[in-house]
Amino acid sequence: MPYVTTKDGTEIYYKDWGDKKGPVVLFSHGWPLNSDNWENQMFFLANHGCRVVAHDRRGHGRSSPAWDGHDMDTWSDDLLTLVEHLDLKDMVMVGHSTGGGEVARFIGRHGTSRVSKAVLVSAVPPIMIKTDTNPEGLPKEVFDGFREAMTKDRAQFFLDVPSGPFFGFNRPNAETSQGLIWSWWQQGMVASFKAAYESIKVFSETDFREDLKKANIPVLVLHGDDDQVVPIGASAHNTVKLLPKGTLKVYPGAPHALPNICAGQVNQDLLEFLRS
């Protein structure tokens, strides 16, 4: 399996599919998942002539179960190591949920010399937690509850999340997919406990407002207006105001898991944005 080693010795697993001479699309996954969650989009774009690359964040999937480095700066540095290893240029960066934060921090920390466009899907920026400067955010007690539930019984918590708000399966008349639930559970359970636990603080408390202001490239923001995990009012609506060249597309009635529940539409939107 392909790996790249970071400066602290962490091995980062990655997939590199499609036409190596095609347009480059780099994917960043959400919590507590891995690159497998992007396979629908990767398969689709690779079959449309793209080179698609996705990694498992440190402590997730097939990457090293690192004890340290679970913060946005380290994650963006890990991603830069991969980008430089593959010498990716003129790439479109795509991030879902926590991965959207990773994309924002990569741009804010490492610039856009290798990035032509970006897509933030159900993404956590600008900042999730409620603060004096972010009164629309979610109370810290929400994320304390996540940590408590995970410490008490991670296996059950990682069934409850996909069975309910993540895919929107808790909504009346929702068409439930047991396969998606178990796929989420499997991806979550192979993440190291420490990485998954510490990532809750990272995705909820990291402030991306200055990163978004530095994104001097076209950025497409995709978000469902029934997102129960990252509510659109405190995320996408505020994100697009901070982006110099941002465009928001709202998916009516859609949940947090746009790459899964709305895979066909997301695929088309990515392809159109890539070709625009």
Side-chain angles (χ1 to χ4, degrees):
M1 291 191 292
Y3 286 89
V4 62
T5 303
T6 69
K7 60 185 178 182
D8 70 351
T10 300
E11 291 188 311
I12 302 296
Y13 168 82
Y14 66 92
K15 300 171 183 175
D16 185 359
W17 296 355
D19 185 351
K20 298 301 185 289
K21 296 181 180 180
V24 178
V25 186
L26 178 65
F27 292 91
S28 289
H29 63 81
W31 172 90
L33 308 174
N34 57 57
S35 58
D36 292 352
N37 203 55
W38 280 120
E39 287 192 337
N40 193 305
Q41 286 70 44
M42 294 178 70
F43 182 74
F44 175 82
L45 291 178
N47 278 298
H48 282 79
C50 296
R51 179 184 185 181
V52 292
V53 179
H55 70 301
D56 292 354
R57 193 170 297 121
R58 64 168 56 211
H60 296 71
R62 289 136 292 204
S63 293
S64 298
W67 184 255
D68 297 314
H70 306 299
D71 60 82
M72 278 290 170
D73 285 353
T74 303
W75 294 348
S76 69
D77 291 351
D78 290 348
L79 195 54
L80 179 64
T81 298
L82 174 60
V83 167
E84 291 179 340
H85 172 71
L86 297 176
D87 195 25
L88 304 179
K89 299 175 182 176
D90 197 32
M91 60 184 178
V92 178
M93 300 187 74
V94 184
H96 174 243
S97 195
T98 300
E102 186 174 76
V103 168
R105 179 52 51 89
F106 181 95
I107 290 171
R109 187 170 172 85
H110 299 297
T112 56
S113 62
R114 291 176 177 266
V115 188
S116 60
K117 298 177 182 178
V119 185
L120 305 180
V121 184
S122 310
V124 297
I127 178 173
M128 284 195 73
I129 200 167
K130 183 177 182 178
T131 66
D132 291 342
T133 60
N134 187 48
E136 297 172 310
L138 296 172
K140 182 175 180 293
E141 289 75 19
V142 172
F143 307 107
D144 289 341
F146 289 177
R147 284 182 279 263
E148 181 180 355
M150 186 176 165
T151 302
K152 180 181 179 181
D153 187 346
R154 171 163 74 144
Q156 185 59 53
F157 179 50
F158 280 9
L159 276 179
D160 293 341
V161 174
S163 298
F166 192 89
F167 295 109
F169 293 156
N170 56 340
R171 293 308 197 200
N173 302 316
E175 184 178 343
T176 301
S177 166
Q178 197 62 46
L180 282 177
I181 293 170
W182 283 116
S183 175
W184 198 102
W185 182 88
Q186 185 271 335
Q187 290 179 61
M189 291 301 292
V190 297
S192 80
F193 191 98
K194 190 168 189 284
Y197 183 89
E198 291 196 357
S199 294
I200 297 170
K201 178 180 177 66
V202 180
F203 73 66
S204 63
E205 297 185 21
T206 304
D207 190 336
F208 300 99
R209 286 175 285 196
E210 293 305 314
D211 300 304
L212 295 172
K213 294 175 184 178
K214 295 177 183 177
N216 59 343
I217 54 173
V219 179
L220 176 63
V221 180
L222 306 178
H223 217 104
D225 64 8
D226 192 31
D227 190 327
Q228 301 171 69
V229 179
V230 183
I232 190 172
S235 56
H237 286 313
N238 289 334
T239 287
V240 76
K241 296 174 185 177
L242 295 169
L243 290 166
K245 300 178 182 179
T247 302
L248 171 62
K249 179 171 183 177
V250 178
Y251 284 43
H256 185 63
L258 293 186
N260 313 102
I261 300 299
C262 304
Q265 187 60 59
V266 170
N267 292 350
Q268 289 296 329
D269 286 340
L270 290 177
L271 185 62
E272 289 178 13
F273 185 61
L274 184 72
R275 291 175 171 175
S276 65

